[in-house]
Amino acid sequence: EKPRHYPTDSVKGTAHKLGVVQGFYGPESVRYSPGQDVYFVSAMNGPGSKKDNNGYIVQLDAANFGQGKLFVVGGKNGVHLDAPKGMALHGDTLWVTDIDVLRAFDRLSGKPLGEIDLKPRGAVLLNDVAVGPDGTIYVTDTGIIMSEIGVIYVGGDKVFSIGPNRSINVVAHGNVLGRPNGVTWDSTAKKWVVVSF
């Protein structure tokens, strides 16, 4: 069989490995906090849909990944955290998706600041969160169950927006979203970008 030749990638990337950190169980997402020069890493610590209050978030020193510490731990210091996934920073608040709840923590101390329960709005598996320039929070719902036997698609693909006074709206829904996973604000195009699972 003849070797295949693929076209050369025309995009010049600047991505490079920063380092390796071991010891996580179910790491899911990372968020850099420029004001602190730290990375937050969320870890589900089990199936991504299991409500077991044993999820955690680690804070890593950006200059030295060996300088890490448990920052938020489910079941300790008044924290409830089942299976944290996407994270976003807004001021001193670290927003974290956690199955069907959006949780808020102080980005400096890790103290719980509150939560927004999206289960009454049909949330299945909240995956990512981002904050727009006007302070509106966008949250994806992938519509899957992450269980001991694997990923089960149940539907309910949605993108929520949370505005002033915690007003909740579904801004997009349906199979056309392709199990929405990542979400971010594109400041150049002035649009929200949603990446499918």
Side-chain angles (χ1 to χ4, degrees):
E1 184 176 320
K2 292 182 178 180
R4 294 182 183 174
H5 296 284
Y6 296 97
T8 303
D9 190 347
S10 62
V11 177
K12 296 200 188 281
T14 58
H16 61 280
K17 184 196 280 187
L18 293 174
V20 176
V21 182
Q22 296 180 339
F24 290 100
Y25 185 64
E28 209 286 339
S29 189
V30 63
R31 175 65 54 198
Y32 178 67
S33 179
Q36 298 167 273
D37 198 27
V38 299
Y39 290 96
F40 295 109
V41 180
S42 62
M44 298 180 293
N45 197 14
S49 294
K50 189 171 183 181
K51 294 190 175 184
D52 50 15
N53 198 23
N54 73 349
Y56 60 92
I57 299 171
V58 172
Q59 180 182 327
L60 299 173
D61 186 323
N64 180 359
F65 287 157
Q67 296 295 317
K69 66 178 183 178
L70 286 171
F71 183 67
V72 174
V73 179
K76 298 193 176 186
N77 300 319
V79 169
H80 189 99
L81 195 61
D82 293 310
K85 294 171 191 63
M87 298 174 286
L89 291 166
H90 187 228
D92 282 342
T93 302
L94 175 66
W95 289 101
V96 181
T97 60
D98 189 14
I99 305 176
D100 50 17
V101 176
L102 182 63
R103 302 194 191 279
F105 299 96
D106 184 292
R107 74 176 175 98
L108 302 173
S109 69
K111 177 183 174 188
L113 300 176
E115 63 183 43
I116 300 172
D117 186 359
L118 294 171
K119 187 173 185 176
R121 300 300 300 264
V124 178
L125 186 87
L126 303 179
N127 207 325
D128 199 14
V129 57
V131 182
D134 64 353
T136 301
I137 302 169
Y138 278 68
V139 181
T140 58
D141 183 350
T142 308
I144 61 175
I145 295 172
M146 299 173 77
S147 71
E148 289 91 348
I149 61 169
V151 174
I152 304 164
Y153 179 64
V154 296
D157 312 32
K158 290 182 274 316
V159 178
F160 294 99
S161 72
I162 303 166
N165 302 317
R166 295 189 174 192
S167 60
I168 301 168
N169 291 297
V170 176
V171 295
H173 63 87
N175 294 343
V176 70
L177 293 171
R179 304 174 192 178
N181 186 337
V183 62
T184 192
W185 171 252
D186 180 342
S187 59
T188 303
K190 308 277 190 258
K191 293 180 182 178
W192 285 97
V193 178
V194 177
V195 180
S196 67
F197 189 71

